[in-house]
Amino acid sequence: MGADKATRAVLKDLAAEPALTRGSDDIDVVRATYDRVFSAWTAGAAVPTREDWIEIASEDHRTNALIVEPVQNSAVGSILFIHGGGWSLGSALCYAPLCRTIAAETGMRVIVPDFPQAPEHPFPAAYELLVTVTGWAQTQFEAPLFLAGDSAGGTLVAAISSDKRVAKAIRGQALFYPVLDLRPSARYRSRSRFGSGKYFLSEDGILGAASWYCGDANDPDDPRISPILNPKLDQTPPTFILLPDLDPLKDEGEKYAALLKNSGVAVEVFRARNTVHGCVSFSGRIPQGYEGIQRAGSFLSGFALD
């Protein structure tokens, strides 16, 4: 098994971004590089969308969010999209192109909030703010509510969808190559097989980002941090999971999907052949990434009318 031609071209260009692939002592440089790359290689929206920036505020939390909606018809639902970036990188603006594509493919409103990031703000800062944003979305819009997220955003989605404060409002979730087990002791064959850095995401990168996110005071065995340890998976909403063949996170995604199915949860797994972590954000160059967006959209849309 190896990367296909389109993926090899992306990997070659990623290798020319050392701040992103090998790291830097200056996190601002890494963040700027991530935003530039992850906003540039996403497929364009097939139909026009409109967007607005809003402020979401509660007694305890305040943040900005981008709202993207299809122009041609009224939104049939809302998707709260929680972006990836190892809980330390990425922004709502960086993910605007992807969320335009999701809105166009699903006919739904997409809400993408900014949130506090590690290492400056370890768990539970992002988690608690995003629970607040989920509750806000539930009351702000009458249409059904879904969650979606990529990578570290998928971690947050999988945890929040089981939070008793908001779980009943969530109709379904879409996880694009999520991180599901943040324990330093976690052992998965795909991490050792594909985690050298050859295929973009490295095992060292996963562990380093997880350490920043957990901070010094939090236990990675907490199911809010490692959703694969959730003892009540039967309460999880219908779930779509995209797993690239060459992703170090593939095996924990497969395990999570099996646990959900065994708990009676409706699950669809899309295995993106011969490609890598990040393919949804690279959907303008990697066809499997675009197909994954379409399949996720079809899955969630099927539950919008229930």
Side-chain angles (χ1 to χ4, degrees), residues 134 160-171 235 237:
T134 304
I160 291 169
S161 68
S162 295
D163 190 295
K164 63 183 180 181
R165 291 170 288 180
V166 294
K168 290 183 179 179
I170 300 166
R171 191 72 63 85
Q235 299 178 27

Side-chain angles (χ1 to χ4, degrees), residues 14 19 38 40 51 65 67 78 80 98 103 120 133-134 193 197-198 203 208 219 223 228 242 250 288 301:
L14 285 170
F38 273 67
E51 54 199 61
I67 310 291
S78 299
L80 176 62
L98 174 56
E120 299 93 335
V133 173
T134 304
R193 187 179 182 190
K198 176 181 178 180
E203 185 171 21
D219 182 358
I228 204 165
L242 184 153
K250 180 177 69 170
Q288 301 94 309
S301 296

Side-chain angles (χ1 to χ4, degrees), residues 38-218:
F38 273 67
S39 62
W41 297 349
T42 304
V47 298
T49 59
R50 58 176 175 268
E51 54 199 61
D52 294 293
W53 286 94
I54 64 166
E55 182 180 70
I56 301 172
S58 70
E59 183 176 339
D60 300 316
H61 299 104
R62 183 180 301 272
T63 193
N64 294 317
L66 180 66
I67 310 291
V68 182
E69 297 183 294
V71 169
Q72 295 176 343
N73 300 296
S74 298
V76 297
S78 299
I79 300 173
L80 176 62
F81 186 90
I82 301 176
H83 71 73
W87 310 281
S88 302
L89 312 173
S91 64
L93 182 61
C94 158
Y95 276 81
L98 174 56
C99 290
R100 293 180 193 121
T101 304
I102 293 172
E105 289 295 331
T106 61
M108 295 193 206
R109 171 187 304 106
V110 181
I111 306 155
V112 52
D114 282 315
F115 52 85
Q117 296 183 320
E120 299 93 335
H121 305 284
F123 180 89
Y127 181 87
E128 288 298 329
L129 181 140
L130 291 165
V131 169
T132 296
V133 173
T134 304
W136 172 88
Q138 173 190 358
T139 59
Q140 184 73 16
F141 304 108
E142 294 183 1
L145 176 64
F146 300 89
L147 300 185
D150 67 314
S151 193
T155 316
L156 287 158
V157 166
I160 291 169
S161 68
S162 295
D163 190 295
K164 63 183 180 181
R165 291 170 288 180
V166 294
K168 290 183 179 179
I170 300 166
R171 191 72 63 85
Q173 62 179 356
L175 310 176
F176 303 117
Y177 31 84
V179 194
L180 296 162
D181 193 339
L182 277 67
R183 295 173 295 175
S185 60
R187 296 290 180 268
Y188 294 95
R189 183 170 180 265
S190 60
R191 289 198 187 189
S192 59
R193 187 179 182 190
F194 303 119
S196 67
K198 176 181 178 180
Y199 298 111
F200 178 40
L201 181 64
S202 70
E203 185 171 21
D204 286 346
I206 296 167
L207 294 174
S211 177
W212 272 5
Y213 179 59
C214 289
D216 296 329
N218 296 296

